[in-house]
Amino acid sequence: MEETKHIKISDYNYPLPDDRIAKFPLPVRDQSKLLVYRHGEISETHFTSLPDYMEPGMLMIFNNTKVIQARLHFRKETGALIEIFCLEPIQPNDYALNFQQTEHAAWLCMIGNLKKWKEGPLHREMTVKGRTITLTATRGECRGTSHWVDFNWNDPDITFADILEVFGELPIPPYLNRKTQESDKETYQTVYSKVKGSVAAPTAGLHFTERVLDALRAKGVDLEEVTLHVGAGTFKPVKSEEIQGHEMHTEYISVNRSTIEKLIAHNGEAVAVGTTSVRTLESLYYIGVTLSGNADANEEELHVKQWQPYETHPTLTAVEALCQIRDYMDRHNLEALHTSTQIIIAPGYEYKIVKRMVTNFHQPQSTLLLLVSAFVKGNWRPIYDYALKHGFRFLSYGDSSLLIP
């Protein structure tokens, strides 16, 4: 573990010119380029060819989270524009319940132009579902770099989800250096997005079309979904010299019992679409390990801590860990497991469930690049050198890779 903690993030730097960052997606999602890394060999094709690299009987896992229109803008009487960026629900702290709240909801938020909002509530009049309402935002306690914000509105028939739908703006990644456009509402969602809660898209999934999904099914590949709500922390740069100084953000996950069953039936092995699916699947292993030592752990105790994989040396197989979760869900009559993870996957980590990975090209010196490096046994640089030399587009709206270590 000590070796992993002392990894220098500067060793994971590479030159990324601004013109290589895809500012917009391609007109047709599945026409993006696909880099294939297979047992050390690198080649390229188009994303529509992905099914050719899968085998019948494989299990592919997707993250079905949906990006919410999480940015809210208020203008003070002085003319100052204040942006409130909803990060995660506080009251109630369940996403689905919070979206259905009427008259009041509380969120943990980042605030833009904070110095201009010293005191007092902010107000904005708006029309939602043909009804005129006033939305009020009141700033509460500071929590790290975020604030508690209470939202109140004067209509019991309007939900917070209704307000975000009309009044909110989709939060595209900061490195795109442009304003959100109407087209982003569609292009910055996966075609299979369902469960509202993310403030960033699981971008490897943006390449999939119904055409590609149908071709995978025709190939005999099993398709399953999990939910991990992507937080703004996914863009948080590593500012410490060594990664032990970086605190991973907490992300909330939900996995259906039927998905656990499917994983067990596939011998605890899966192809993960995107790093969020990777983090969910690998976290499941450690949740199973926790349950093997504490059969009635509560939701808080099932939370996967950042360094947990490096501090323990479990001997459970992936199937045994998954069976622990299934049995726990049966004992508690749960159809879905709801918990959270702070797992950091970096060189020194041993993958337990994920055998292949579809992922985009990530920012220099990011935790996502560490995750990829761990998967390809440190061999990330040739992959990125190839992508840079062969015209691949980078980051959220960029091209993707299929990694087969």
Side-chain angles (χ1 to χ4, degrees):
M1 174 179 81
E2 287 309 311
E3 278 181 24
T4 299
K5 283 190 169 182
H6 292 307
I7 286 172
K8 287 186 165 53
I9 197 64
S10 58
D11 291 341
Y12 292 82
N13 202 1
Y14 69 90
L16 179 58
D18 187 64
D19 63 0
R20 301 307 296 278
I21 299 171
K23 301 294 194 290
F24 291 91
L26 295 178
V28 182
R29 292 171 186 254
D30 60 18
Q31 293 304 299
S32 55
K33 286 168 64 149
L34 177 69
L35 180 149
V36 179
Y37 172 88
R38 184 161 44 176
H39 316 314
E41 298 290 318
I42 299 173
S43 60
E44 65 176 88
T45 182
H46 283 93
F47 197 81
T48 42
S49 302
L50 178 70
D52 299 342
Y53 296 89
M54 297 296 136
E55 287 146 35
M58 283 186 161
L59 175 63
M60 190 174 263
I61 303 283
F62 299 80
N63 181 6
N64 65 12
T65 188
K66 188 165 196 168
V67 185
I68 60 171
Q69 293 178 197
R71 291 185 192 275
L72 304 169
H73 294 99
F74 291 81
R75 196 168 288 284
K76 292 191 68 181
E77 288 166 11
T78 58
L81 187 67
I82 311 294
E83 179 183 281
I84 300 177
F85 187 175
C86 297
L87 295 178
E88 60 184 76
I90 303 176
Q91 221 174 51
N93 66 0
D94 177 273
Y95 282 87
L97 288 177
N98 196 294
F99 290 134
Q100 292 313 307
Q101 288 295 106
T102 57
E103 299 185 290
H104 171 261
W107 281 68
L108 189 64
C109 302
M110 284 197 303
I111 298 170
N113 211 6
L114 178 64
K115 61 182 182 293
K116 292 286 174 70
W117 186 16
K118 292 199 168 55
E119 58 187 2
L122 302 174
H123 304 283
R124 179 155 173 187
E125 199 172 275
M126 66 186 77
T127 303
V128 181
K129 291 184 167 178
R131 304 157 81 100
T132 301
I133 64 165
T134 301
L135 179 67
T136 300
T138 309
R139 202 179 92 206
E141 68 185 38
C142 177
R143 295 191 178 182
T145 55
S146 308
H147 284 79
W148 177 306
V149 175
D150 284 292
F151 296 102
N152 293 278
W153 59 100
N154 53 343
D155 191 323
D157 294 324
I158 300 294
T159 66
F160 193 58
D162 293 333
I163 289 170
L164 289 183
E165 201 64 37
V166 174
F167 178 40
E169 182 182 283
L170 201 75
I172 59 172
Y175 50 66
L176 293 184
N177 289 322
R178 66 172 176 83
K179 284 194 159 65
T180 301
Q181 300 194 2
E182 190 63 27
S183 60
D184 291 308
K185 288 184 182 178
E186 183 181 340
T187 58
Y188 197 59
Q189 301 279 14
T190 62
V191 295
Y192 46 79
S193 63
K194 295 180 184 69
V195 187
K196 290 180 180 176
S198 279
V199 299
T203 55
L206 295 179
H207 305 277
F208 285 83
T209 56
E210 289 303 334
R211 166 171 55 183
V212 173
L213 294 169
D214 286 344
L216 286 163
R217 292 185 192 100
K219 189 77 183 267
V221 177
D222 256 338
L223 311 182
E224 277 289 319
E225 295 176 358
V226 295
T227 305
L228 179 142
H229 291 316
V230 191
T234 193
F235 301 118
K236 185 179 166 189
V238 180
K239 290 188 172 165
S240 54
E241 193 175 313
E242 297 183 340
I243 65 165
Q244 68 175 342
H246 181 76
E247 186 185 355
M248 287 295 284
H249 50 292
T250 296
E251 290 174 314
Y252 296 90
I253 59 180
S254 172
V255 183
N256 290 333
R257 188 191 179 285
S258 57
T259 306
I260 299 292
E261 283 281 17
K262 192 68 73 83
L263 279 162
I264 293 168
H266 284 79
N267 201 35
E269 297 184 350
V271 179
V273 174
T275 56
T276 57
S277 298
V278 171
R279 288 162 53 73
T280 305
L281 290 167
E282 294 298 310
S283 295
L284 287 177
Y285 175 81
Y286 289 96
I287 291 166
V289 169
T290 298
L291 287 169
S292 71
N294 179 6
D296 286 310
N298 59 34
E299 191 176 311
E300 208 170 286
E301 291 166 325
L302 293 180
H303 169 80
V304 181
K305 299 181 183 69
Q306 177 163 333
W307 298 106
Q308 192 172 331
Y310 310 89
E311 292 167 343
T312 56
H313 301 282
T315 55
L316 262 65
T317 65
V319 169
E320 287 167 343
L322 292 161
C323 286
Q324 290 283 343
I325 298 174
R326 181 195 60 194
D327 296 347
Y328 170 84
M329 294 176 79
D330 287 349
R331 286 195 302 277
H332 292 83
N333 205 21
L334 299 174
E335 276 309 306
L337 176 76
H338 298 283
T339 184
S340 56
T341 184
Q342 261 180 298
I343 194 170
I344 186 167
I345 298 178
Y349 180 87
E350 283 184 31
Y351 277 82
K352 304 295 186 183
I353 292 173
V354 177
K355 302 303 177 190
R356 297 183 179 195
M357 185 191 304
V358 179
T359 187
N360 281 19
F361 296 95
H362 305 292
Q363 286 182 292
Q365 303 192 92
S366 63
T367 57
L368 301 182
L369 190 51
L370 293 173
L371 179 152
V372 166
S373 181
F375 194 64
V376 296
K377 304 290 189 283
N379 207 21
W380 68 273
R381 204 174 280 280
I383 295 169
Y384 276 64
D385 285 348
Y386 183 98
L388 284 163
K389 281 180 190 152
H390 290 80
F392 278 74
R393 299 154 68 251
F394 278 61
L395 308 186
S396 295
Y397 272 144
D399 297 312
S400 63
S401 61
L402 168 64
L403 308 178
I404 307 171

